[in-house]
Amino acid sequence: MNRRTALVVLALVTTSALLACSRSGNGPAAAPAELRSLTVDEVAARLAAGDGKTFVYDNNSKDRYDQGHVPGARWVESGEVTAAVLPPDKSATLVFYCMNEH
């Protein structure tokens, strides 16, 4: 299986939307940003731009991440995404992916 078929899901969200979704009733949350899928080529082009605006997070198991991951991707455990692991730029593009063998 090549890398193109292994990356089944790519979701895009801004950090402000992710933080808004994680709020627990502490005042009004910002409206969530649009979620959409990106192709592997679109993610590659954003990363190649080198503008520091796109961040890739691998949400696979740690073992699978250690076996291989998208270059530059940071591993984050499912359910453990916090503001501390996200970039401070609220307009940044965040790409989360995991592998699905089906």
Side-chain angles (χ1 to χ4, degrees):
M1 178 182 304
N2 68 35
R3 188 163 302 272
R4 287 187 187 278
T5 58
L7 296 178
V8 175
V9 177
L10 294 173
L12 165 70
V13 66
T14 64
T15 55
S16 58
L18 186 62
L19 294 176
C21 292
S22 67
R23 292 182 70 144
S24 57
N26 297 335
E34 176 186 341
L35 297 177
R36 64 185 183 96
S37 295
L38 297 173
T39 66
V40 172
D41 290 337
E42 288 171 324
V43 173
R46 287 174 182 246
L47 293 173
D51 62 5
K53 292 283 198 180
T54 301
F55 299 84
V56 179
Y57 296 89
D58 186 312
N59 203 219
N60 287 300
S61 69
K62 183 69 165 118
D63 288 341
R64 186 174 299 271
Y65 174 83
D66 291 341
Q67 291 173 10
H69 55 273
V70 172
R74 180 175 177 182
W75 179 76
V76 64
E77 187 170 1
S78 179
E80 298 296 323
V81 179
T82 64
V85 300
L86 301 176
D89 181 355
K90 304 292 187 238
S91 67
T93 298
L94 307 180
V95 178
F96 292 85
Y97 75 89
C98 64
M99 182 175 167
N100 183 340
E101 294 184 20
H102 292 85

